[in-house]
Amino acid sequence: MTEKSNVNWAEIEAKPAFRNLLGRKAKFIVTATIFFLAYSLALPILVGYWPDLMKKQVWGKVNVAYVFALSQFFMAWIVAFIYVRVAAKWDKEAADVIHGH
């Protein structure tokens, strides 16, 4: 069951602190998305244009392409970890804006 909210959302939306929060969220999300997409697309681009570099062995039969591909898993977790930490701060700021602190 959903309770009716007593929050005046139009008033909150007009607050500069709320608009600032939305702007910072959008900037972070767009920047993180562009970074993640560029990082993800780098592997096929590097393999396509610089195959000799990507074939270079770094440890036994493991080459640069494998290392880069593995790094994408770590990068996804790192981006997710950073997002969770930053989003927790946004939640606190949003609560402050809503409750007028």
Side-chain angles (χ1 to χ4, degrees):
M1 181 182 281
T2 308
E3 291 185 27
K4 182 96 171 159
S5 174
N6 292 331
V7 177
N8 184 346
W9 293 109
E11 181 182 312
I12 289 173
E13 183 182 12
K15 289 183 178 183
F18 181 74
R19 294 201 176 271
N20 183 322
L21 175 61
L22 288 181
R24 287 185 291 119
K25 282 178 70 172
K27 182 179 177 183
F28 179 88
I29 291 168
V30 168
T31 302
T33 301
I34 290 170
F35 170 77
F36 187 76
L37 289 173
Y39 198 83
S40 298
L41 291 173
L43 180 60
I45 290 170
L46 289 170
V47 168
Y49 287 102
W50 293 281
D52 293 334
L53 169 67
M54 300 307 280
K55 289 178 190 175
K56 185 174 181 166
Q57 293 182 345
V58 291
W59 184 58
K61 298 271 185 184
V62 178
N63 61 26
V64 174
Y66 284 125
V67 172
F68 193 89
L70 182 61
S71 76
Q72 290 184 337
F73 289 101
F74 293 109
M75 188 55 60
W77 282 101
I78 291 168
V79 170
F81 176 77
I82 292 169
Y83 176 81
V84 167
R85 291 185 60 108
V86 173
K89 292 176 186 175
W90 293 333
D91 290 344
K92 289 176 186 174
E93 289 180 45
D96 288 345
V97 170
I98 291 169
H99 301 298
H101 297 125

